[in-house]
Amino acid sequence: MSAMDDGSPARHALVLHQSSLRHRENTVAWVVDALSRGDKVLHRAADPNRLVDAIGEVAGTAEDSGQLEIVDAHRARTMTDGLPRALHQMFEDLVGRAFDDGYREIVLTADEEAERIMVPEAGDRVAHEHDLDRLAMQPGVHVLCSYDLRVEQPDVVEAVVGVHHRCVDDVLWSARLSGERLLVRGEIDLSNAVRFGSALSAAAAHGVRTVDLREVTVLSAAGTRAFEVTAGFLRERGERLTLANMSPKVRLAAATLLVAGEQVVDVVEPRAER
């Protein structure tokens, strides 16, 4: 659980945009943690043996008991013809069966190649992520989506981040929706500012008006522009964006948003600076 999480039950899709190596380490850790809690794990895999080999003995025991179920991406592609509607029905059935088997928490994971195999058309992958997001809104269902920035089309990744704005892990930053706030941490630089902007804009469109930046360590000019775009969107609606708990360093970087008399955002100071 992230240090920023408030301890409430997680109902979200977590999107990992990582290098393959780091992503695999995170996926393995996520699966092992879920298995240790007694959750049902449905893992979408390009290579069904990769996760099993990485987990070792735990995988054999979990597979034998039915707690771990590997969904072969190639077979799923053949069965559904890569159509989002058919894939959605397949996962609905898998989740429903897991609940019928008595599991209270269902975890859907994937390696970084599975989605591209199951859904070869880029536009269909975004539709597929909307379906997964709807699944993740059910009590007890958690979804880990994954994309490799080196091979996926940038516009697809940006759209996916917007779909899963409630909980996003990118290479250098992450965002979590907690109540009516978007909690952001990490570094927002030129390489990832567009993806961050997609998450921020989607959150604002869904009613978020406050962004907590207490754990943001770097804010580039491109990141500042992402806030400007969202603030402009809200201003057209007669509303304002509030930035909370900026460090002095981040506030200095965001100075263009805070020009006296013309500021486009409201600011809530950190308690330590009051």
Side-chain angles (χ1 to χ4, degrees):
M1 179 175 288
S2 164
M4 296 187 302
D5 291 337
D6 59 6
S8 59
R11 297 176 188 172
H12 61 248
L14 178 66
V15 186
L16 284 175
H17 305 294
Q18 310 286 9
S19 67
S20 295
L21 179 61
R22 183 176 174 188
H23 163 65
R24 287 170 190 162
E25 291 172 349
N26 279 325
T27 301
V28 168
W30 217 59
V31 169
V32 170
D33 186 52
L35 293 174
S36 69
R37 293 193 307 266
D39 299 346
K40 169 79 175 192
V41 176
L42 296 162
H43 179 69
R44 314 183 295 284
D47 178 1
N49 295 319
R50 184 187 296 162
L51 179 70
V52 174
D53 292 342
I55 295 177
E57 272 182 48
V58 177
T61 302
E63 280 194 295
D64 289 342
S65 68
Q67 187 186 1
L68 172 63
E69 188 172 341
I70 306 292
V71 179
D72 187 316
H74 295 279
R75 186 176 301 170
R77 165 77 172 87
T78 300
M79 292 173 57
T80 63
D81 202 26
L83 299 175
R85 183 180 301 177
L87 275 169
H88 179 65
Q89 187 59 57
M90 185 182 80
F91 286 117
E92 283 271 13
D93 293 343
L94 288 170
V95 168
R97 192 184 315 140
F99 280 130
D100 290 342
D101 288 341
Y103 291 99
R104 296 182 61 188
E105 303 289 326
I106 318 298
V107 174
L108 280 75
T109 70
D111 62 40
E112 71 278 6
E113 300 166 26
E115 308 291 21
R116 289 174 62 88
I117 292 170
M118 290 190 303
V119 195
E121 294 296 328
D124 287 344
R125 280 198 291 282
V126 177
H128 174 59
E129 297 299 343
H130 278 286
D131 288 336
L132 289 176
D133 192 58
R134 282 189 282 272
L135 271 177
M137 294 305 291
Q138 296 182 53
V141 179
H142 315 280
V143 179
L144 176 73
C145 302
S146 48
Y147 286 86
D148 190 335
L149 289 175
R150 298 169 303 176
V151 297
E152 186 55 83
Q153 298 174 24
D155 58 337
V156 170
V157 177
E158 291 159 21
V160 168
V161 169
V163 170
H164 298 307
H165 64 276
R166 298 175 187 86
C167 190
V168 179
D169 271 8
D170 206 294
V171 178
L172 295 175
W173 63 273
S174 66
R176 303 285 186 278
L177 196 60
S178 178
E180 297 180 351
R181 288 189 171 209
L182 188 69
L183 309 178
V184 183
R185 73 187 311 171
E187 303 176 12
I188 304 168
D189 64 13
L190 181 61
S191 69
N192 59 43
V194 173
R195 296 192 298 276
F196 170 72
S198 297
L200 180 64
S201 296
H206 284 81
V208 172
R209 300 294 176 265
T210 302
V211 182
D212 191 319
L213 300 173
R214 75 183 68 198
E215 294 195 46
V216 171
T217 56
V218 173
L219 178 64
S220 67
T224 300
R225 284 194 292 275
F227 285 110
E228 288 175 344
V229 170
T230 299
F233 163 76
L234 292 177
R235 191 164 58 248
E236 291 177 356
R237 295 184 168 195
E239 299 175 295
R240 295 176 75 86
L241 182 68
T242 297
L243 304 183
N245 302 317
M246 286 186 290
S247 69
K249 179 180 178 181
V250 171
R251 179 165 183 164
L252 181 62
T256 57
L257 296 171
L258 309 172
V259 178
E262 297 181 3
Q263 67 183 49
V264 297
V265 298
D266 292 323
V267 178
V268 176
E269 299 290 353
R271 289 186 182 139
E273 293 184 8
R274 286 177 178 170

